[in-house]
Amino acid sequence: MRFYEFNSPSTIKPIKPMNPQQYRLYSLKRNKDNAKQAYKAERDRQKVAKAQQQIFKATHPKN
């Protein structure tokens, strides 16, 4: 690297630690996002299970 590359203004600035109020909002948002993903995954899992059950019933008629 050249010397002027070390002095560029596009360097990464350190992130200040969050205060308790900011961290609370951050954690609530993260929990909301995780819950949303878990809800979607469970809904999709149930849809797949229901479709598999319908396929099984269609291919295995009662005797």
Side-chain angles (χ1 to χ4, degrees):
M1 292 184 108
R2 300 187 191 258
F3 179 73
Y4 68 87
E5 291 175 337
F6 289 108
N7 228 3
S8 68
S10 64
T11 57
I12 300 172
K13 296 180 181 178
I15 299 172
K16 294 182 182 179
M18 293 185 222
N19 63 33
Q21 294 88 2
Q22 289 172 325
Y23 189 77
R24 178 163 167 71
L25 290 175
Y26 170 76
S27 65
L28 288 171
K29 182 180 178 185
R30 189 180 58 213
N31 289 341
K32 177 196 72 142
D33 294 340
N34 290 342
K36 193 174 186 180
Q37 282 182 330
Y39 175 78
K40 184 180 181 316
E42 179 61 23
R43 189 175 57 203
D44 291 345
R45 187 196 65 76
Q46 288 182 8
K47 283 182 184 179
V48 168
K50 186 175 181 182
Q52 287 175 340
Q53 193 175 32
Q54 287 177 343
I55 291 171
F56 181 80
K57 284 182 181 177
T59 57
H60 295 84
K62 290 184 179 180
N63 290 331

Coordinates of all heavy atoms in Angstrom, one line a residue:
M1 N 0.8 -1.2 0.0 CA 0.0 0.0 0.0 C 0.9 1.2 0.0 O 2.0 1.2 0.5 CB -0.9 0.0 1.2 CG -2.0 -1.0 1.3 SD -3.0 -0.8 2.7 CE -4.5 -0.2 1.9
R2 N 0.3 2.2 -0.5 CA 1.0 3.5 -0.5 C 0.6 4.4 0.6 O -0.5 4.1 1.2 CB 0.8 4.2 -1.9 CG 1.2 3.4 -3.0 CD 1.1 4.2 -4.3 NE 1.3 3.3 -5.4 CZ 2.5 3.2 -6.1 NH1 3.5 4.0 -5.8 NH2 2.6 2.4 -7.1
F3 N 1.4 5.3 1.0 CA 1.1 6.1 2.1 C -0.3 6.8 2.0 O -1.0 6.9 3.0 CB 2.2 7.1 2.4 CG 2.0 8.0 3.6 CD1 2.1 7.5 4.8 CD2 1.6 9.3 3.4 CE1 1.9 8.3 5.9 CE2 1.3 10.1 4.5 CZ 1.5 9.6 5.8
Y4 N -0.6 7.3 0.9 CA -1.9 8.1 0.8 C -3.1 7.2 0.9 O -4.2 7.6 1.3 CB -1.9 8.8 -0.6 CG -2.0 8.0 -1.8 CD1 -3.3 7.5 -2.2 CD2 -0.9 7.6 -2.5 CE1 -3.4 6.8 -3.4 CE2 -1.0 6.8 -3.6 CZ -2.3 6.4 -4.0 OH -2.4 5.6 -5.2
E5 N -2.9 5.9 0.7 CA -4.0 4.9 0.9 C -4.4 4.8 2.4 O -5.5 4.5 2.8 CB -3.7 3.6 0.3 CG -3.7 3.6 -1.2 CD -3.2 2.3 -1.8 OE1 -2.5 1.5 -1.1 OE2 -3.5 2.1 -3.0
F6 N -3.4 4.9 3.3 CA -3.7 4.9 4.7 C -4.4 6.1 5.2 O -5.1 6.1 6.2 CB -2.3 4.8 5.5 CG -1.7 3.4 5.3 CD1 -0.5 3.3 4.6 CD2 -2.2 2.3 6.0 CE1 0.1 2.1 4.5 CE2 -1.6 1.1 5.8 CZ -0.4 1.0 5.1
N7 N -4.3 7.2 4.5 CA -4.8 8.5 4.9 C -6.1 8.8 4.3 O -6.6 9.9 4.4 CB -3.8 9.6 4.6 CG -3.6 10.5 5.7 OD1 -4.1 10.3 6.8 ND2 -2.8 11.5 5.5
S8 N -6.8 7.8 3.6 CA -8.0 8.1 2.9 C -9.1 8.3 3.9 O -9.2 7.7 5.0 CB -8.3 6.9 2.0 OG -8.7 5.8 2.7
P9 N -10.1 9.2 3.5 CA -11.2 9.5 4.4 C -12.2 8.4 4.4 O -13.2 8.4 5.2 CB -11.8 10.8 3.8 CG -11.4 10.7 2.3 CD -10.1 10.0 2.3
S10 N -12.1 7.4 3.6 CA -13.1 6.3 3.6 C -12.8 5.2 4.6 O -13.3 4.1 4.4 CB -13.2 5.7 2.2 OG -12.0 5.1 1.8
T11 N -12.0 5.5 5.6 CA -11.7 4.4 6.5 C -12.9 4.1 7.4 O -13.8 5.0 7.6 CB -10.5 4.8 7.4 OG1 -10.8 6.1 8.1 CG2 -9.2 5.0 6.6
I12 N -12.9 3.0 8.0 CA -14.0 2.6 8.8 C -13.9 3.3 10.2 O -12.9 3.2 10.8 CB -14.1 1.0 9.0 CG1 -14.2 0.4 7.6 CG2 -15.2 0.6 9.9 CD1 -14.0 -1.1 7.7
K13 N -15.0 3.9 10.6 CA -15.0 4.5 11.9 C -15.5 3.6 13.0 O -16.4 2.8 12.7 CB -16.0 5.8 11.8 CG -15.5 6.8 10.9 CD -16.4 8.0 10.8 CE -15.9 9.0 9.8 NZ -16.8 10.2 9.7
P14 N -14.9 3.6 14.1 CA -15.4 2.7 15.2 C -16.8 3.1 15.6 O -17.3 4.2 15.6 CB -14.4 3.0 16.3 CG -13.8 4.3 16.1 CD -13.9 4.5 14.6
I15 N -17.5 2.0 16.0 CA -18.9 2.2 16.5 C -18.9 2.4 18.0 O -18.3 1.7 18.7 CB -19.8 1.0 16.1 CG1 -19.7 0.8 14.6 CG2 -21.2 1.1 16.6 CD1 -20.4 -0.5 14.1
K16 N -19.6 3.5 18.4 CA -19.7 3.8 19.8 C -20.6 2.7 20.5 O -21.6 2.3 19.9 CB -20.3 5.1 20.1 CG -19.4 6.3 19.6 CD -20.0 7.6 19.9 CE -19.1 8.7 19.4 NZ -19.7 10.0 19.6
P17 N -20.4 2.4 21.7 CA -21.2 1.4 22.4 C -22.6 2.1 22.6 O -22.7 3.3 22.8 CB -20.6 1.1 23.7 CG -19.6 2.2 23.9 CD -19.2 2.7 22.5
M18 N -23.6 1.2 22.6 CA -25.0 1.8 22.8 C -25.3 2.0 24.2 O -24.8 1.3 25.1 CB -26.0 0.7 22.3 CG -26.0 0.5 20.8 SD -27.3 -0.7 20.4 CE -26.5 -1.7 19.2
N19 N -26.1 3.0 24.5 CA -26.6 3.2 25.8 C -27.7 2.3 26.1 O -28.2 1.6 25.2 CB -26.9 4.7 26.1 CG -28.1 5.2 25.2 OD1 -29.0 4.4 24.9 ND2 -28.1 6.4 24.8
P20 N -28.2 2.1 27.3 CA -29.2 1.1 27.6 C -30.5 1.3 26.9 O -31.1 0.3 26.4 CB -29.4 1.3 29.1 CG -28.2 1.9 29.6 CD -27.6 2.7 28.5
Q21 N -30.9 2.5 26.6 CA -32.2 2.7 25.9 C -32.0 2.3 24.4 O -32.9 1.6 23.8 CB -32.6 4.2 25.9 CG -33.0 4.7 27.2 CD -31.8 5.3 28.0 OE1 -30.6 5.3 27.6 NE2 -32.0 5.7 29.3
Q22 N -30.9 2.6 23.8 CA -30.6 2.2 22.4 C -30.5 0.7 22.3 O -31.1 0.1 21.4 CB -29.3 2.8 21.9 CG -29.4 4.3 21.7 CD -28.0 4.9 21.4 OE1 -27.0 4.4 21.9 NE2 -28.0 5.9 20.5
Y23 N -29.8 0.1 23.3 CA -29.7 -1.4 23.3 C -31.0 -2.1 23.4 O -31.3 -3.1 22.8 CB -28.7 -1.9 24.3 CG -28.4 -3.3 24.1 CD1 -27.5 -3.7 23.1 CD2 -29.0 -4.3 24.9 CE1 -27.3 -5.1 22.9 CE2 -28.7 -5.6 24.7 CZ -27.9 -6.0 23.7 OH -27.6 -7.3 23.4
R24 N -31.9 -1.5 24.3 CA -33.2 -2.1 24.5 C -34.0 -2.1 23.1 O -34.6 -3.1 22.8 CB -34.0 -1.4 25.5 CG -35.4 -1.9 25.8 CD -36.0 -1.4 27.1 NE -37.4 -1.7 27.2 CZ -38.0 -2.8 27.3 NH1 -37.3 -3.9 27.3 NH2 -39.3 -2.9 27.4
L25 N -34.0 -0.9 22.4 CA -34.7 -0.9 21.2 C -34.1 -1.8 20.1 O -34.8 -2.5 19.4 CB -34.6 0.6 20.6 CG -35.5 1.6 21.4 CD1 -35.2 3.0 20.8 CD2 -36.9 1.3 21.3
Y26 N -32.8 -1.9 20.1 CA -32.1 -2.8 19.2 C -32.5 -4.3 19.5 O -32.8 -5.0 18.6 CB -30.6 -2.6 19.4 CG -29.8 -3.7 18.6 CD1 -29.6 -3.7 17.3 CD2 -29.1 -4.7 19.4 CE1 -28.8 -4.6 16.6 CE2 -28.4 -5.7 18.7 CZ -28.2 -5.6 17.3 OH -27.5 -6.6 16.7
S27 N -32.5 -4.7 20.7 CA -32.9 -6.0 21.1 C -34.3 -6.3 20.8 O -34.7 -7.4 20.3 CB -32.5 -6.4 22.5 OG -33.3 -5.6 23.4
L28 N -35.2 -5.4 21.0 CA -36.6 -5.6 20.7 C -36.8 -5.8 19.2 O -37.6 -6.6 18.7 CB -37.5 -4.4 21.2 CG -37.7 -4.3 22.7 CD1 -38.3 -3.0 23.1 CD2 -38.5 -5.5 23.2
K29 N -36.1 -5.0 18.4 CA -36.2 -5.1 17.0 C -35.7 -6.4 16.5 O -36.3 -7.1 15.6 CB -35.4 -3.9 16.3 CG -35.5 -4.0 14.8 CD -34.8 -2.9 14.1 CE -34.8 -3.0 12.6 NZ -34.0 -2.0 12.0
R30 N -34.5 -6.8 17.1 CA -33.9 -8.1 16.7 C -34.9 -9.3 17.1 O -35.1 -10.2 16.3 CB -32.6 -8.3 17.4 CG -31.8 -9.5 16.9 CD -30.5 -9.6 17.6 NE -30.7 -9.7 19.0 CZ -29.9 -9.3 19.9 NH1 -28.8 -8.7 19.6 NH2 -30.2 -9.4 21.2
N31 N -35.5 -9.2 18.2 CA -36.4 -10.2 18.7 C -37.7 -10.3 17.7 O -38.2 -11.3 17.4 CB -36.9 -10.0 20.1 CG -35.8 -10.3 21.1 OD1 -34.8 -11.0 20.7 ND2 -35.9 -9.8 22.3
K32 N -38.1 -9.1 17.3 CA -39.3 -9.0 16.4 C -38.9 -9.7 15.1 O -39.7 -10.5 14.6 CB -39.7 -7.6 16.2 CG -40.8 -7.4 15.2 CD -40.9 -6.0 14.6 CE -39.8 -5.8 13.7 NZ -40.1 -5.0 12.5
D33 N -37.8 -9.4 14.6 CA -37.3 -10.0 13.3 C -37.2 -11.5 13.4 O -37.6 -12.3 12.5 CB -36.0 -9.4 12.8 CG -36.2 -7.9 12.5 OD1 -37.3 -7.5 12.2 OD2 -35.1 -7.2 12.4
N34 N -36.6 -12.0 14.5 CA -36.5 -13.4 14.8 C -37.8 -14.1 14.9 O -38.0 -15.2 14.4 CB -35.6 -13.7 16.0 CG -34.1 -13.3 15.8 OD1 -33.7 -13.2 14.6 ND2 -33.4 -13.2 16.8
A35 N -38.8 -13.5 15.6 CA -40.1 -14.0 15.8 C -40.8 -14.1 14.4 O -41.5 -15.1 14.1 CB -40.9 -13.2 16.8
K36 N -40.6 -13.1 13.6 CA -41.3 -13.1 12.3 C -40.7 -14.2 11.4 O -41.5 -14.9 10.7 CB -41.0 -11.7 11.6 CG -41.8 -11.4 10.4 CD -41.5 -10.0 10.0 CE -42.4 -9.5 8.8 NZ -42.1 -8.2 8.4
Q37 N -39.4 -14.4 11.5 CA -38.8 -15.5 10.7 C -39.3 -16.9 11.2 O -39.6 -17.8 10.4 CB -37.3 -15.5 10.8 CG -36.7 -14.5 9.9 CD -35.2 -14.5 10.0 OE1 -34.6 -14.9 11.0 NE2 -34.5 -14.2 8.9
A38 N -39.4 -17.0 12.5 CA -39.9 -18.3 13.1 C -41.3 -18.6 12.8 O -41.7 -19.7 12.4 CB -39.7 -18.3 14.6
Y39 N -42.1 -17.5 12.8 CA -43.6 -17.6 12.4 C -43.7 -18.1 11.0 O -44.5 -19.0 10.6 CB -44.3 -16.3 12.6 CG -45.7 -16.3 12.2 CD1 -46.7 -16.9 13.0 CD2 -46.1 -15.7 11.0 CE1 -48.0 -16.9 12.6 CE2 -47.4 -15.7 10.6 CZ -48.4 -16.3 11.3 OH -49.7 -16.3 10.9
K40 N -42.9 -17.5 10.1 CA -43.0 -17.8 8.6 C -42.5 -19.2 8.4 O -43.1 -20.0 7.7 CB -42.2 -16.8 7.8 CG -42.2 -17.1 6.3 CD -41.4 -16.1 5.6 CE -41.5 -16.3 4.1 NZ -41.4 -17.6 3.6
A41 N -41.5 -19.6 9.1 CA -40.9 -21.0 8.9 C -42.0 -22.0 9.4 O -42.2 -23.1 8.8 CB -39.6 -21.1 9.7
E42 N -42.6 -21.8 10.5 CA -43.6 -22.7 11.1 C -44.8 -22.8 10.2 O -45.3 -23.8 9.9 CB -44.0 -22.3 12.5 CG -45.1 -23.2 13.1 CD -44.6 -24.6 13.3 OE1 -43.4 -24.9 13.4 OE2 -45.5 -25.5 13.4
R43 N -45.3 -21.6 9.6 CA -46.4 -21.6 8.7 C -46.1 -22.4 7.5 O -46.9 -23.2 7.0 CB -46.8 -20.2 8.4 CG -48.1 -20.1 7.6 CD -48.4 -18.6 7.4 NE -47.3 -18.0 6.7 CZ -47.1 -16.7 6.7 NH1 -47.9 -15.9 7.4 NH2 -46.1 -16.1 6.0
D44 N -44.9 -22.2 6.9 CA -44.4 -23.0 5.7 C -44.3 -24.5 6.0 O -44.7 -25.3 5.2 CB -43.1 -22.4 5.2 CG -43.2 -21.0 4.6 OD1 -44.3 -20.6 4.4 OD2 -42.2 -20.4 4.5
R45 N -43.8 -24.8 7.2 CA -43.7 -26.2 7.6 C -45.1 -26.9 7.7 O -45.3 -28.0 7.2 CB -43.0 -26.3 8.9 CG -42.7 -27.8 9.3 CD -42.4 -27.9 10.8 NE -43.5 -27.6 11.7 CZ -44.6 -28.4 11.9 NH1 -44.7 -29.6 11.3 NH2 -45.5 -28.0 12.7
Q46 N -46.1 -26.2 8.2 CA -47.4 -26.7 8.3 C -48.1 -26.9 7.0 O -48.8 -27.8 6.7 CB -48.3 -25.8 9.2 CG -47.9 -25.9 10.7 CD -48.8 -25.1 11.6 OE1 -49.7 -24.5 11.2 NE2 -48.4 -25.0 12.9
K47 N -47.8 -25.9 6.1 CA -48.3 -26.0 4.7 C -47.8 -27.2 4.0 O -48.5 -28.0 3.3 CB -48.0 -24.8 3.9 CG -48.9 -23.6 4.2 CD -48.5 -22.4 3.3 CE -49.2 -21.1 3.7 NZ -48.8 -20.0 2.8
V48 N -46.5 -27.5 4.1 CA -45.8 -28.6 3.5 C -46.4 -29.9 4.1 O -46.7 -30.9 3.4 CB -44.3 -28.6 3.7 CG1 -43.6 -29.9 3.3 CG2 -43.7 -27.4 2.8
A49 N -46.5 -30.0 5.4 CA -47.1 -31.2 6.1 C -48.5 -31.5 5.6 O -48.8 -32.6 5.3 CB -47.0 -31.0 7.6
K50 N -49.3 -30.4 5.5 CA -50.7 -30.6 5.0 C -50.7 -31.1 3.6 O -51.5 -32.0 3.2 CB -51.4 -29.3 5.1 CG -52.9 -29.4 4.8 CD -53.6 -28.1 5.1 CE -55.1 -28.2 4.8 NZ -55.8 -27.0 5.0
A51 N -49.8 -30.5 2.7 CA -49.8 -31.0 1.3 C -49.3 -32.4 1.2 O -49.8 -33.2 0.4 CB -48.8 -30.0 0.5
Q52 N -48.3 -32.8 2.0 CA -47.9 -34.2 2.0 C -49.0 -35.1 2.5 O -49.1 -36.2 1.9 CB -46.6 -34.3 2.9 CG -45.4 -33.7 2.4 CD -44.2 -33.8 3.4 OE1 -44.4 -33.9 4.6 NE2 -43.0 -33.6 2.8
Q53 N -49.7 -34.7 3.5 CA -50.8 -35.5 3.9 C -51.9 -35.7 2.8 O -52.4 -36.8 2.6 CB -51.5 -34.9 5.2 CG -52.4 -35.8 5.9 CD -52.9 -35.2 7.2 OE1 -53.0 -34.0 7.3 NE2 -53.1 -36.0 8.2
Q54 N -52.2 -34.6 2.1 CA -53.2 -34.7 1.0 C -52.7 -35.6 -0.1 O -53.4 -36.4 -0.7 CB -53.5 -33.3 0.5 CG -54.3 -32.5 1.4 CD -54.5 -31.1 0.8 OE1 -53.8 -30.6 -0.1 NE2 -55.5 -30.4 1.4
I55 N -51.4 -35.6 -0.4 CA -50.8 -36.4 -1.4 C -50.9 -37.9 -1.0 O -51.2 -38.8 -1.8 CB -49.3 -36.0 -1.7 CG1 -49.3 -34.7 -2.5 CG2 -48.6 -37.1 -2.6 CD1 -47.9 -34.1 -2.6
F56 N -50.6 -38.1 0.3 CA -50.6 -39.5 0.8 C -52.1 -40.0 0.7 O -52.3 -41.2 0.3 CB -50.1 -39.5 2.3 CG -50.2 -40.9 2.9 CD1 -49.1 -41.8 2.6 CD2 -51.2 -41.3 3.7 CE1 -49.1 -43.1 3.1 CE2 -51.2 -42.6 4.2 CZ -50.2 -43.5 3.9
K57 N -53.1 -39.2 1.1 CA -54.5 -39.7 1.0 C -54.9 -39.9 -0.4 O -55.7 -40.9 -0.7 CB -55.4 -38.6 1.7 CG -55.3 -38.6 3.2 CD -56.3 -37.6 3.8 CE -56.2 -37.6 5.3 NZ -57.1 -36.5 5.8
A58 N -54.4 -39.1 -1.3 CA -54.8 -39.3 -2.7 C -54.2 -40.5 -3.3 O -54.8 -41.2 -4.2 CB -54.4 -38.1 -3.5
T59 N -53.0 -40.9 -2.9 CA -52.3 -42.1 -3.5 C -52.6 -43.4 -2.7 O -52.2 -44.4 -3.2 CB -50.8 -41.8 -3.5 OG1 -50.3 -41.5 -2.2 CG2 -50.4 -40.6 -4.5
H60 N -53.1 -43.3 -1.5 CA -53.4 -44.5 -0.7 C -54.9 -44.5 -0.4 O -55.2 -44.2 0.8 CB -52.6 -44.5 0.5 CG -51.1 -44.7 0.3 ND1 -50.3 -43.6 0.0 CD2 -50.3 -45.8 0.2 CE1 -49.1 -44.0 -0.2 NE2 -49.1 -45.4 -0.1
P61 N -55.8 -44.9 -1.3 CA -57.2 -44.9 -0.9 C -57.5 -46.0 0.1 O -56.8 -47.0 0.2 CB -57.9 -45.2 -2.3 CG -56.8 -45.8 -3.1 CD -55.5 -45.3 -2.6
K62 N -58.6 -45.7 0.9 CA -58.9 -46.7 1.9 C -59.4 -48.0 1.2 O -60.1 -48.0 0.1 CB -60.0 -46.2 2.8 CG -59.6 -45.1 3.7 CD -60.7 -44.7 4.6 CE -60.2 -43.6 5.5 NZ -61.3 -43.1 6.4
N63 N -59.2 -49.1 1.8 CA -59.6 -50.4 1.2 C -61.0 -50.8 1.8 O -61.4 -50.7 2.8 CB -58.6 -51.5 1.5 CG -57.4 -51.3 0.7 OD1 -57.4 -50.7 -0.4 ND2 -56.2 -51.8 1.2

